[in-house]
Amino acid sequence: MTASGPEQWAAVDERLAVFAREDAVLAAARTSTEVSSPGIQVSRQMGRMLHILALASGARRVLEFGTLAGYSTIWLARAVGPSGRVVSIELDRANAAVARGHLEDAGVSAWVDIHCGPAAEVSGRMVAAGVEPFDLVFIDADKQNLPTYVERALELTRPGALIVIDNVVRGGRVLDPGDDPQVQGVVRALAALQGDDRVQVSITQTVGEKGWDGFAVIRKVAP
Ligand code: SAH
Ligand code: DHB
Ligand code: MG
């Protein structure tokens, strides 16, 4: 093995997929083409990691920003089980309908709610309503509004909660976002986290079947 590039990264993910084994329902949710942006689901390894983080932290209540076809939602829902709750926010009604089908097929729909609407508004209403705090939040919707979503996640969680953010490296473009509003959103969110003593932040770069990106795992320390 000499060269390294996207093909090798993807080949290694294929080899490692035995550690993130999917049943037919998970595979269908990951490869669904009926949604607005097919292929942007988390990788199998990332799905498995979310599952393990939820299990290891004993999460009962999980909040997700960005449902798409319900792939990450199913991993999280299977971790919390029927005595838990997953709330997932999705802007696109058609995506939400596709996701509900997969959640039904996965047998988890009894403890998963998909809230349809812009995540900033839906999560703002949850803050105003004083909903029971969440134990784990996965942020994976549009990136322009990432600073708002991080703030909402901090408002909607208990101390000790985990907040995971997808797509925080974007092929290295976080170093120079230019005029891309998505990457600018990521840069602003990271800048806010940097000065925030309510949180402990780890950021891991990744290469794999989805190219070069990264994720943040954040622990909310103080209220
Ligand atoms: N978490 C999913 C992938 C989510 S893709 C998985 O890994 O399986 C991002 C999703 O966010 C898309 O379905 C998109 O429609 C949704 N989205 C985009 N902008 C949004 C907004 N403002 N509010 C809520 N959802 C939004
Ligand atoms: C892309 C990937 C993602 O995981 C996401 O949430 C949004 C977009 C992408 O590859 O474009
Ligand atoms: Mg993502």
Side-chain angles (χ1 to χ4, degrees):
M1 172 86 46
T2 48
S4 165
E7 279 168 30
Q8 284 90 346
W9 306 341
V12 171
D13 261 346
E14 279 309 320
R15 164 65 183 87
L16 300 181
V18 292
F19 295 107
R21 213 160 248 148
E22 298 174 329
D23 62 6
V25 183
L26 268 176
R30 180 169 52 83
T31 58
S32 172
T33 54
E34 311 155 276
V35 285
S36 58
S37 328
I40 67 167
Q41 289 90 340
V42 294
S43 68
R44 288 168 281 188
Q45 295 304 325
M46 180 94 180
R48 179 63 154 155
M49 186 189 74
L50 290 169
H51 182 79
I52 290 174
L53 285 176
L55 288 170
S57 63
R60 305 314 310 153
R61 288 175 54 77
V62 172
L63 175 63
E64 176 175 69
F65 291 75
T67 319
L68 195 65
Y71 179 65
S72 52
T73 322
I74 294 171
W75 278 112
L76 290 164
R78 286 182 171 168
V80 304
S83 64
R85 194 98 215 149
V86 177
V87 176
S88 186
I89 308 173
E90 171 56 48
L91 178 65
D92 185 309
R93 290 204 159 274
N95 288 351
V98 171
R100 284 192 183 102
H102 289 136
L103 294 163
E104 193 69 44
D105 294 345
V108 300
S109 49
W111 63 95
V112 181
D113 293 317
I114 300 180
H115 291 213
C116 220
E121 274 177 36
V122 175
S123 60
R125 282 201 297 272
M126 293 169 72
V127 173
V131 297
E132 194 185 326
F134 291 91
D135 308 304
L136 189 155
V137 182
F138 178 47
I139 305 181
D140 191 24
D142 63 293
K143 317 305 171 197
Q144 293 102 298
N145 295 307
L146 191 57
T148 303
Y149 302 157
V150 173
E151 199 46 53
R152 293 286 153 70
L154 286 165
E155 289 174 304
L156 288 166
T157 43
R158 61 161 174 84
L162 294 178
I163 300 168
V164 181
I165 311 176
D166 195 23
N167 310 115
V168 294
V169 174
R170 310 302 289 151
R173 291 196 300 283
V174 278
L175 293 180
D176 182 14
D179 54 11
D180 182 335
Q182 304 269 337
V183 188
Q184 286 173 351
V186 175
V187 167
R188 281 188 289 121
L190 296 184
L193 284 166
Q194 225 175 301
D196 193 332
D197 55 16
R198 293 171 297 176
V199 292
Q200 297 165 323
V201 181
S202 73
I203 300 184
T204 302
Q205 295 190 68
T206 53
V207 294
E209 58 194 5
K210 291 186 63 188
W212 175 22
D213 213 322
F215 60 86
V217 177
I218 298 165
R219 178 171 174 270
K220 172 173 156 176
V221 185

